[in-house]
Amino acid sequence: MEENRAEKAERKVIMKTLMATDGSKMATSALRAAGRLLYKGDNEFHVLCVAPGFYHTRSKKAEDAEKRGRIREEYRKRITAETESILEQARKAL
């Protein structure tokens, strides 16, 4: 059975939106603009921030592997904090 116009108009459309940010002023402005356009209704927003991976030259020396592990862990902590800061900024913008 076909829906009549009133039933179609009554049905809610929920948009799910994935937005990416790098924390720049332009990205934040784009998030704000998208938020204003999509804020009406029960729309869902998901924000993505991608960080570059850590790459280090290979070495067979045990002390180099240990140093590489420490550097990788320091990088992971720093990039995690930076990414969390960017995402918090995005939450505030929306």
Side-chain angles (χ1 to χ4, degrees), residues 52-83:
F54 177 82
Y55 297 98
H56 197 276
T57 57
R58 296 268 182 202
S59 174
K60 293 183 181 189
K61 295 180 183 177
E63 63 268 8
D64 287 347
E66 190 175 306
K67 181 179 177 183
R68 198 170 48 245
R70 284 193 309 272
I71 292 170
R72 178 178 280 120
E73 183 58 23
E74 288 173 19
Y75 175 79
R76 186 194 63 75
K77 287 178 183 177
R78 183 176 56 84
I79 208 71
T80 298
E82 188 175 322
T83 301

Side-chain angles (χ1 to χ4, degrees), residues 18-36 46-50 86-87 89-94:
L18 175 64
M19 295 180 271
T21 184
D22 60 2
S24 68
K25 288 181 181 181
M26 291 182 81
T28 302
S29 292
L31 282 172
R32 283 190 188 113
R36 283 192 300 270
H46 299 274
V47 180
L48 173 71
C49 180
V50 179
I86 290 169
L87 290 174
Q89 178 185 357
R91 279 187 208 98
K92 289 177 182 177
L94 290 171

